[in-house]
Amino acid sequence: MLFSSITFLYYFLPLTGLVYFLAPRRMKNAVLLLCSLFFYAWGEPKYVLLMAVSIISGYIFGLLIEKYRSQRAGQVLCGISVAVSLSFLLYFKYAGFFVNNFRAVTGWDIPVLQIALPIGISFYTFQIISYTVDVYRGDAAQKNLVSLAAYIAMFPQLIAGPIVKYSDIAEQLDKRQHSIAMAAEGIRFFIIGLAKKILLANQLGELCNVFRASEEKSVLFYWLYALAFVLHIYFDFSGYSDMAVGLGQVFGFRFVRNFRYPYISTSITEFWRRWHISLGSWFRDYVYIPMGGNRVGRGRHLFNILVVWILTGFWHGAAWNFMVWGLLFAVLLMAEKLWLLDVMKKNRVFSHIYVLFFVVLSFVIFNANDMGQAFSDIGGLFGAGGIEMVSAEALYCLRSFAIVLLIGCIGATPLVSKVFGWAMRQPLCSKVLNVAEPIALAILLLVMTAYLVDGSFNPFLYFRF
């Protein structure tokens, strides 16, 4: 069930909210869990059992790790718990990739595995791992299975994040406050995220599809596609994350923000502090720092970066283009650590151009079906194969999508937020905006509902991961 669907907006969410707020405090986690399981079963009924097994496994291991964590057995149990969680992820997400590549290398006639990918498995697996590792590090294990299951299966962040670490909301699971002000702020976040998704990401995604279907490609068309996809993936994913954060607030939870205007970054290092923040934090806390982080020699430090970014690429998908995507960022980050940051500090204009150039190239690789298409797309950006610079179809698409592209470019910066913040600090403006904002949000919701009723293009990219 998509957040950006009539079923979710006008049936599931109102009924869930009604039942949740009518339930007594001690039953709220149970209501949230049952509604979350129904939400998941709507699209993946056969994989509810897999998620339940994963949750129960994490719950049992958590109790055992807490009991024995002062002994060698605690470390062993923590390792087994992580291995069990990863085994589910490796089988369902990566078994086909490994088998197909083994066939290609050896020539052996091994049956090709056709395994459906359970939605959200990358996200909830990482949350279970964070829970058991945090318990091993000293956090109290959750004794209430329902509360732990509610944390793992919570529908706002179940299928596309953000990756919420158990330590961040452990207290909120047992004691959280609900207020009209917090719910109103959450609804505002949700509607703005929904607008990012429907009014921007979906329109930009249509341009990407037009490009793929075109037989009249040109250098201009390749760059239009690259720009459109860079904006599309940002508004698609950040919009969904904003919706998740907003829904969390409605139900009394404070989730971390997942995006902070990454395209204004002046280094790749800064970019990854602003993009998919919860994933970067997870790899930092559970892979990079345990490997030694930057508290080791230079060679080992660079090796740690390489490992983390190959894993980050692989987390996104079982394909070589994701591995190359992660490797590209690893190389750039290592170059920045060694010498490039010092150069970039002297020229901010160069730094912005450098970041945007490599981010665009990286996401062209990211969105390719395979490495062959990735090379072809990158070549097209630079006129490889003798393609023409401009085509009639490219100019038509530029005219048709110019306003959406312009709004997307502005919306990917903090300009609108800063102007709104400045206006709210002006006494007269703030009074007008306090009245106008709820009306504007209501109108925005009606407009987006019309788009959904019309059956407009409405996929969600991160369901692939």
Side-chain angles (χ1 to χ4, degrees), residues 28-44:
K28 289 192 184 299
N29 283 349
V31 169
L32 195 55
L33 172 61
L34 290 174
C35 292
S36 297
L37 291 176
F38 177 82
F39 173 86
Y40 192 77
W42 185 270
E44 293 279 356

Side-chain angles (χ1 to χ4, degrees), residues 268 271-272 305 309 323-335 355 358-360 362-363 366:
I268 297 298
F271 176 83
W272 279 104
I305 293 173
W309 282 97
M323 297 279 281
V324 172
W325 176 80
L327 184 60
L328 171 62
F329 280 115
V331 171
L332 292 171
L333 288 165
M334 287 190 287
V355 169
F358 280 108
V359 166
V360 167
S362 75
F363 280 124
F366 184 95

Side-chain angles (χ1 to χ4, degrees), residues 127 157 160-169 172 189 237-238 240-246 248-249 253-260 274 276-282 284-285:
Q127 294 196 172
Q157 44 77 52
I163 300 170
V164 181
K165 292 185 289 187
Y166 175 75
S167 57
D168 289 339
I169 66 164
Q172 298 175 50
F189 253 105
F237 195 18
S238 71
Y240 215 98
S241 293
D242 286 350
M243 286 188 271
V245 170
Q249 288 189 204
F253 293 92
R254 293 282 187 181
F255 298 153
V256 295
R257 293 285 300 276
N258 216 17
F259 291 84
R260 293 189 183 277
R274 293 174 175 272
H276 204 342
I277 296 168
S278 63
L279 179 66
S281 297
W282 195 95
R284 179 196 65 209
D285 294 343

Side-chain angles (χ1 to χ4, degrees), residues 45 90 110 114 116 144 170 181 262 272 282 322 417:
L90 287 171
I110 303 173
Q114 300 293 337
N144 189 317
W272 279 104
W282 195 95
F322 295 113
S417 178

Side-chain angles (χ1 to χ4, degrees), residues 295-330:
R295 306 182 309 276
V296 292
R298 175 174 290 182
R300 179 55 189 266
H301 181 205
L302 297 178
F303 174 77
N304 292 346
I305 293 173
L306 180 64
V307 169
V308 165
W309 282 97
I310 288 177
L311 291 176
T312 300
F314 206 38
W315 179 88
H316 281 86
W320 285 109
N321 61 303
F322 295 113
M323 297 279 281
V324 172
W325 176 80
L327 184 60
L328 171 62
F329 280 115

Side-chain angles (χ1 to χ4, degrees), residues 74-250:
Q75 186 177 16
V76 173
L77 286 166
C78 183
I80 295 174
S81 173
V82 172
V84 169
S85 295
L86 287 178
S87 68
F88 295 138
L89 182 62
L90 287 171
Y91 176 74
F92 284 98
K93 191 168 183 176
Y94 301 107
F97 173 79
F98 289 128
V99 168
N100 290 339
N101 281 279
F102 186 77
R103 281 164 51 94
V105 171
T106 64
W108 292 4
D109 187 20
I110 303 173
V112 177
L113 295 177
Q114 300 293 337
I115 304 171
L117 177 64
I119 291 174
I121 189 171
S122 299
F123 292 92
Y124 73 71
T125 296
F126 272 27
Q127 294 196 172
I128 293 171
I129 291 173
S130 83
Y131 165 69
T132 54
V133 172
D134 285 347
V135 170
Y136 174 71
R137 291 174 174 176
D139 284 1
Q142 177 58 255
K143 306 301 189 296
N144 189 317
L145 176 58
V146 171
S147 294
L148 180 66
Y151 151 68
I152 295 168
M154 198 182 306
F155 76 87
Q157 44 77 52
L158 171 62
I159 53 178
I163 300 170
V164 181
K165 292 185 289 187
Y166 175 75
S167 57
D168 289 339
I169 66 164
E171 186 176 347
Q172 298 175 50
L173 284 169
D174 298 323
K175 301 175 184 178
R176 58 184 179 273
Q177 300 297 318
H178 301 86
S179 69
I180 293 176
M182 186 174 177
E185 184 186 358
I187 292 170
R188 176 178 176 271
F189 253 105
F190 179 85
I191 293 176
I192 291 173
L194 189 64
K196 285 183 176 182
K197 165 64 182 159
I198 295 175
L199 301 181
L200 290 174
N202 287 359
Q203 312 312 311
L204 293 162
E206 284 193 12
L207 175 53
C208 295
N209 285 350
V210 170
F211 167 81
R212 283 292 180 217
S214 173
E215 295 183 359
E216 194 182 331
K217 293 186 172 66
S218 61
V219 173
L220 174 62
F221 211 170
Y222 272 102
W223 279 103
L224 273 179
Y225 156 72
L227 173 61
F229 183 74
V230 164
L231 293 172
H232 166 71
I233 192 172
Y234 170 70
F235 287 112
D236 198 54
F237 195 18
S238 71
Y240 215 98
S241 293
D242 286 350
M243 286 188 271
V245 170
L247 288 173
Q249 288 189 204
V250 170

